[in-house]
Amino acid sequence: MRAAVFLEAHAPLAIEEVELLAPGPQDVVVRVTATALCQTDVSVRAGKYDYGAPMVMGHEACGVVEAVGEAVTRLKPGDRVISSTAPCCGVCVNCLAGRPNICVLGLEVRKPLRARRADGSLATGLYGLGSFAEKMCVHQASLIAIRTALPDAHLALVGCGVTTGLGAVLNRTDIGPGGSLAVIGCGAVGLAAIQGARIAGAETVIGIDPRPQRRADALRLGATAVIDPAAEDVAKRVREITDGRGADACIDGVGLPATAAQAFDLTRQAGTIVVVGLPPRGETFQFDAWQFFLSEKRFSSSLFGSADIRRDFPKYVAFAEDGRLDLGGLVSRVLTLDEVNDGLDALAAGDVIRAVIVNG
């Protein structure tokens, strides 16, 4: 099969002919029909995260099951599936405690070697997936079967960015009818969070981003107001929009110390701040301890939208089917596998929300 392989940082992914290794007892072979490009892929290629090499890249995908290992119980050949960056075994201590997004299989599924290259070396798959390929072999815990007529290019978005943003709102805040939510960073994750606020019935949804196109995207997908942080005092403007109170909740889709502090400042007393952007290693969030104590604000992170993929993937697909979630509005460009590096360049430059590779 053909695959886009990461060999070294600061270099293009290599389009290679590789041999997919045979599935283990718990593994599933999936014919990849569509896979989305994510900022994580950009960061790995740029050397910001080191997950080893060689590695078949890609982790947001949908496809069709072609074969299953002897111990697979959840899937069968012919099933249409969505991949998940966070596996869910359903039986570990975290899954049973209602925290399947931190399933104990999270690290284990990333270890297996999945493809043999022409020189004989063996490659892993990013997050145990490796979806920038014609096929992938993954643990059954990383897949959810879906029955829907939605296009492959739309379903491919569910397995990472959409769930991260949508889940952070629906699973980690108590936003409801009449509420207010601010979103810092209106990339794919932030735009999904904005849609989550709209689905939850929020009356005021504020998108915060220095890029004019992202502010326009935010308004198109459900924001009621937008702010340019390079031109305005964000916290002051949010208080003006919310009648002096501040936002009921804030999603920080960037994850920098400066944006976390900004999120704290613009959120009302007893409000909720949820960081979903991945912070740089070694950085520290800082707040005035006295003000934090008096505020009763809740400050937390959300890994993969705090999602239960068995519950949330079908729910989010249903949202898209009935028109409450606009997945197509997040797809800026459709590519072939040979164009993957061009797509990653466009994503890094902010020229697209999401680019999606569709395999013919």
Side-chain angles (χ1 to χ4, degrees):
M1 67 174 190
R2 300 174 73 241
V5 182
F6 172 81
L7 299 176
E8 61 179 338
H10 312 293
L13 304 184
I15 307 300
E16 299 184 353
E17 291 281 346
V18 302
E19 176 190 356
L20 192 67
L21 300 182
Q26 297 270 2
D27 292 336
V28 177
V29 176
V30 177
R31 174 172 57 84
V32 178
T33 53
T35 178
L37 281 60
C38 173
Q39 286 291 347
T40 298
D41 303 307
V42 172
S43 296
V44 170
R45 192 183 63 159
K48 293 182 180 179
Y49 312 136
D50 182 7
Y51 297 139
M55 177 173 61
V56 180
M57 290 287 288
H59 62 284
E60 288 187 339
C62 70
V64 178
V65 173
E66 288 197 339
V68 299
E70 59 188 23
V72 171
T73 58
R74 291 159 53 166
L75 298 162
K76 64 184 184 302
D79 282 346
R80 197 177 185 200
V81 292
I82 298 173
S83 68
S84 171
T85 56
C88 172
C89 72
V91 297
C92 74
V93 62
N94 289 335
C95 285
L96 293 176
R99 296 185 293 271
N101 61 307
I102 51 174
C103 172
V104 298
L105 285 180
L107 294 178
E108 288 298 313
V109 301
R110 303 181 186 189
K111 295 178 180 178
L113 299 166
R114 293 305 191 186
R116 178 177 288 106
R117 302 173 62 229
D119 64 2
S121 62
L122 300 178
T124 59
L126 180 60
Y127 293 143
L129 298 169
S131 60
F132 290 172
E134 293 170 332
K135 297 182 182 183
M136 59 183 181
C137 182
V138 305
H139 194 286
Q140 67 170 332
S142 296
L143 299 169
I144 295 294
I146 296 292
R147 291 188 177 183
T148 180
L150 292 175
D152 295 330
H154 295 186
L155 291 177
L157 304 176
V158 175
C160 183
V162 164
T163 294
T164 296
L166 201 59
V169 175
L170 300 181
N171 296 327
R172 294 303 298 273
T173 78
D174 55 4
I175 293 295
S180 59
L181 178 79
V183 178
I184 300 175
C186 298
V189 171
L191 293 172
I194 284 170
Q195 296 198 64
R198 176 169 47 77
I199 290 169
E203 179 179 343
T204 303
V205 184
I206 305 166
I208 303 163
D209 199 293
R211 297 164 293 183
Q213 183 57 55
R214 289 296 173 266
R215 296 197 298 275
D217 292 331
L219 291 170
R220 174 172 57 85
L221 292 171
T224 59
V226 292
I227 299 172
D228 179 358
E232 298 185 79
D233 181 320
V234 173
K236 178 181 178 182
R237 181 64 183 132
V238 169
R239 285 191 290 271
E240 290 173 351
I241 295 170
T242 57
D243 297 324
R245 295 187 303 273
D248 295 327
C250 180
I251 301 297
D252 178 6
V254 180
L256 293 174
T259 55
Q262 188 176 76
F264 183 84
D265 288 342
L266 63 81
T267 303
R268 67 163 171 81
Q269 190 171 26
T272 300
I273 302 103
V274 184
V275 178
V276 301
L278 185 61
R281 289 182 181 272
E283 295 287 353
T284 302
F285 294 151
Q286 293 184 330
F287 312 101
D288 182 285
W290 179 249
Q291 291 300 322
F292 177 73
F293 176 78
L294 294 177
S295 73
E296 285 206 350
K297 296 179 185 181
R298 291 163 291 175
F299 184 90
S300 69
S301 65
S302 176
L303 183 64
F304 193 55
S306 305
D308 181 339
I309 61 176
R310 299 164 299 178
R311 174 197 67 202
D312 290 343
F313 279 13
K315 181 194 298 184
Y316 299 164
V317 168
F319 287 161
E321 288 176 325
D322 66 21
R324 284 183 284 174
L325 174 62
D326 184 358
L327 294 174
L330 300 173
V331 178
S332 303
R333 190 177 302 175
V334 175
L335 310 170
T336 66
L337 183 60
D338 290 307
E339 297 172 309
V340 63
N341 286 297
D342 292 339
L344 291 173
D345 290 342
L347 189 59
D351 295 336
V352 296
I353 304 172
R354 275 290 193 266
V356 180
I357 294 170
V358 175
N359 293 324

